[in-house]
Amino acid sequence: MKLKGGKQESSDHDEGSKGKMTLLLALVALIAAFGSSFQYGYNVSVINSPAPYMQDFYNRTHFNRSGTPMDNDFQTLLWSLTVSMYPLGGFFGSLLVWPLVNCCGRKGTLLLNNLFSIAAAILMGTSELAKTYEVIILSRVIMGIYAGLASNVVPMFLGELSPKNLRGAVGVVPQLFITLGILVAQILGLNRILGNAEGWPVLLGLTGIPSLIQLLTLPFFPESPRYLLIQKGNEEQARRALQKLRGWDNVDYEIEEMRQEHQSEKEGGHFSVLSLCTFRALRWQLISIVVMMMGQQLSGVNAVFYYADRIFLSAGVDENNVQYVTVSIGAINVVMTLLAVFIVESLGRRILLLAGFGLCCVSCAVLTLALSLQTTVSWMSYLSIMCVIVYIIGHAIGASPIPFVMITEMFLQSSRPAAFMVGGSVHWLSNFTVGLVFLYMEAGLGSYCFLIFCAICLATIVYIFFIVPETKNKTFMEINRIMAKRNKVEIHEDKEELKNLPGGQAEKKGTSSSKL
């Protein structure tokens, strides 16, 4: 592959940039997502089914220690801590993303992260034997830290491993495994399996198994080639990793694109969160990920899941069968996320984001109407069920998976870890806020609380429509040029270097530049 007059021949361009799904790429995606993302989903829903038995254990333990039954308010406080420490831990985990991925690499961070999960699984699995509920609350914090790291590092790792024409599909795989984790926890949490007085410690402890599998298998797979070349400066290792991942020897086009990106960024060094927030050339990228992450969590997905059981009961579903209906909702979530894997490269990111948030917006509005009328109009309860299903479909195809794909694509190597740290922190803080505020919202507003979620979805749609570009099938540098125009900066063609001046104009270096 030769460079002619500074331009690539189109045939070489197509050959080098269009990758195929090799067995190695598929395996590393599956192992990274199963060992990390799966557990994020699993631990979101694992304590829902055995909650009464766990609360009973808290009460028994307190009685054995003090000789008096546990006060109701104290039990509520302990259970609230058990639930809310997970997203709070996720926030702390997100804060560790930037230092760990720059220090240990993407693969190294995932391997190190498994130690959190295995330690927490052992503590939770043995908590009943040890007669201590404090370790369950501590383990939920540790699992939160694990999930905070996993939810950010896996999309970053897989996005950097994938060729540009598969980046979206591979980028949705972590979200697919999050939904699978939720579904498996719902199935294993059924009363007749492990969601009972004897089985709940096993249910909590099982979370260590995927981590153990990842710890034993991931070392045999390559590190991110972009990390090796751009951050470690080791072109030979990056080339070998790319050749293994692509299944062919000629990877010159991708190496050249990485060199270009490296050249563009080497004077700036690694972005910290502070420098990322003050850098004009990345302003709209940063605002976009904050809006998408807030929209994703504040659109009410947790509230809809919380309300689902009540909606099904009001529609006449038998109380003993509600858990099976909840499992079927989890299955719909998995199937629709799987569909997103296959359509994200053909339809593009923007369409899925707009369609996903659009379905969530409409279903929240109709759900408000259906819930407020279901006491007077008998068939409204069935409309409520339809709204829940449509909402889950909307979230699964767009609102849940695509924002993480967009963080990978909208930032270059030096700013990507800091961007994931910001996006992840917003994600988990928003999650924590909804968990904290929703019960008060519901008590004060009743079914009308869904109108707030409807408004948030609508605001997110408007922002995405006017600001967020389509990124499918584009290199990181091509996306960077599109965003440079939005940020009103100039980009230098030879070195792709962005520099700010106080007046908001970009400083030009070198001999020739093109104004965007």
Side-chain angles (χ1 to χ4, degrees):
M1 198 184 298
K2 290 184 179 178
L3 290 168
K4 296 188 177 178
K7 290 187 178 177
Q8 208 84 17
E9 284 189 340
S10 63
S11 61
D12 286 346
H13 180 289
D14 292 342
E15 178 198 339
S17 60
K18 290 270 185 188
K20 61 180 181 180
M21 179 58 78
T22 58
L23 180 63
L24 188 75
L25 181 58
L27 282 174
V28 74
L30 292 175
I31 287 165
F34 174 66
S36 295
S37 306
F38 177 86
Q39 294 190 79
Y40 170 11
Y42 186 86
N43 285 283
V44 162
S45 67
V46 74
I47 62 169
N48 292 354
S49 298
Y53 307 105
M54 290 174 71
Q55 287 167 344
D56 184 50
F57 164 67
Y58 286 15
N59 208 353
R60 272 199 331 270
T61 306
H62 185 272
F63 184 79
N64 292 339
R65 288 178 190 172
S66 64
T68 56
M70 187 182 282
D71 179 64
N72 272 346
D73 288 343
F74 185 54
Q75 184 167 1
T76 305
L77 172 68
L78 283 179
W79 189 249
S80 298
L81 285 172
T82 307
V83 175
S84 62
M85 283 299 110
Y86 183 63
L88 196 63
F91 170 68
F92 293 131
S94 295
L95 299 181
L96 296 173
V97 170
W98 182 78
L100 282 178
V101 295
N102 286 328
C103 173
C104 308
R106 281 64 169 147
K107 186 175 86 169
T109 301
L110 289 178
L111 291 171
L112 186 68
N113 197 25
N114 287 319
L115 301 178
F116 285 118
S117 171
I118 292 167
I122 293 167
L123 287 173
M124 288 192 290
T126 57
S127 58
E128 193 182 30
L129 284 172
K131 294 183 168 48
T132 168
Y133 52 74
E134 290 86 353
V135 297
I136 296 178
I137 296 170
L138 174 67
S139 300
R140 290 285 288 174
V141 180
I142 297 169
M143 277 313 302
I145 293 169
Y146 172 86
L149 273 164
S151 63
N152 290 295
V153 179
V154 175
M156 187 191 309
F157 180 49
L158 296 184
E160 291 178 8
L161 291 179
S162 309
K164 68 178 185 181
N165 60 306
L166 294 174
R167 207 167 50 223
V170 175
V172 176
V173 168
Q175 183 61 35
L176 174 64
F177 274 83
I178 290 171
T179 59
L180 267 173
I182 293 170
L183 178 62
V184 169
Q186 286 171 338
I187 293 169
L188 293 178
L190 292 171
N191 292 352
R192 63 174 64 181
I193 304 178
L194 290 172
N196 49 52
E198 298 77 37
W200 68 262
V202 178
L203 184 66
L204 297 184
L206 285 175
T207 191
I209 293 173
S211 277
L212 196 59
I213 292 169
Q214 189 182 76
L215 201 57
L216 295 172
T217 54
L218 196 61
F220 298 101
F221 292 91
E223 175 58 279
S224 157
R226 306 188 90 82
Y227 171 76
L228 292 171
L229 194 150
I230 298 171
Q231 287 177 249
K232 287 296 178 187
N234 193 329
E235 188 177 315
E236 194 45 50
Q237 273 190 1
R239 187 179 290 275
R240 281 204 301 272
L242 263 181
Q243 286 168 340
K244 281 183 190 172
L245 287 162
R246 299 295 176 262
W248 56 58
D249 291 336
N250 187 359
V251 291
D252 291 353
Y253 172 78
E254 282 189 84
I255 291 287
E256 181 57 36
E257 191 238 321
M258 285 183 213
R259 277 203 209 110
Q260 231 184 14
E261 189 176 329
H262 181 41
Q263 195 70 21
S264 133
E265 303 195 298
K266 69 180 179 186
E267 285 187 19
H270 298 308
F271 279 81
S272 66
V273 172
L274 185 64
S275 59
L276 178 70
C277 293
T278 55
F279 191 55
R280 181 188 170 87
L282 294 173
R283 180 178 297 170
W284 282 107
Q285 289 96 310
L286 188 66
I287 295 169
S288 297
I289 62 154
V290 168
V291 169
M292 286 189 283
M293 282 299 173
M294 286 180 75
Q296 181 196 65
Q297 288 302 310
L298 301 180
S299 58
V301 63
N302 296 336
V304 169
F305 272 112
Y306 173 82
Y307 241 95
D309 286 5
R310 207 177 311 176
I311 290 167
F312 294 130
L313 283 170
S314 69
V317 176
D318 187 81
E319 196 167 345
N320 296 322
N321 294 331
V322 163
Q323 56 179 346
Y324 298 104
V325 180
T326 307
V327 168
S328 65
I329 290 290
I332 292 169
N333 203 2
V334 172
V335 170
M336 296 314 296
T337 310
L338 183 62
L339 176 67
V341 172
F342 292 104
I343 62 176
V344 65
E345 294 300 353
S346 53
L347 293 181
R349 284 62 154 157
R350 258 174 67 88
I351 295 288
L352 290 186
L353 280 169
L354 292 169
F357 278 110
L359 287 174
C360 292
C361 182
V362 171
S363 52
C364 277
V366 178
L367 185 60
T368 306
L369 180 71
L371 288 173
S372 55
L373 291 177
Q374 70 180 15
T375 49
T376 52
V377 185
S378 59
W379 53 268
M380 279 294 173
S381 54
Y382 300 105
L383 182 61
S384 302
I385 292 178
M386 280 305 299
C387 288
V388 169
I389 292 168
V390 170
Y391 183 95
I392 298 299
I393 290 170
H395 228 273
I397 62 165
S400 285
I402 308 299
F404 280 108
V405 175
M406 297 298 281
I407 301 181
T408 306
E409 295 187 326
M410 291 175 89
F411 292 88
L412 298 181
Q413 196 73 15
S414 62
S415 53
R416 195 173 293 127
F420 265 101
M421 191 167 150
V422 171
S425 300
V426 171
H427 170 93
W428 286 100
L429 269 181
S430 301
N431 188 329
F432 179 68
T433 304
V434 170
L436 208 61
V437 172
F438 176 67
L439 290 177
Y440 297 104
M441 273 174 57
E442 194 223 347
L445 297 169
S447 59
Y448 291 101
C449 63
F450 286 100
L451 286 179
I452 295 172
F453 301 132
C454 176
I456 290 168
C457 289
L458 186 61
T460 312
I461 290 166
V462 171
Y463 181 89
I464 290 166
F465 184 80
F466 286 106
I467 303 294
V468 177
E470 181 53 75
T471 57
K472 77 165 182 176
N473 214 18
K474 291 181 172 68
T475 66
F476 293 125
M477 290 305 296
E478 286 166 348
I479 297 163
N480 197 40
R481 291 187 191 102
I482 294 168
M483 293 310 294
K485 188 175 182 180
R486 172 79 60 200
N487 289 312
K488 293 185 171 60
V489 295
E490 288 177 358
I491 196 164
H492 190 272
E493 287 295 342
D494 294 337
K495 289 176 76 174
E496 305 297 337
E497 187 175 338
L498 293 169
K499 276 272 193 182
N500 285 320
L501 287 174
Q505 295 300 311
E507 180 185 337
K508 292 182 274 184
K509 289 201 168 189
T511 52
S512 66
S513 75
S514 64
K515 193 166 184 175
L516 291 172

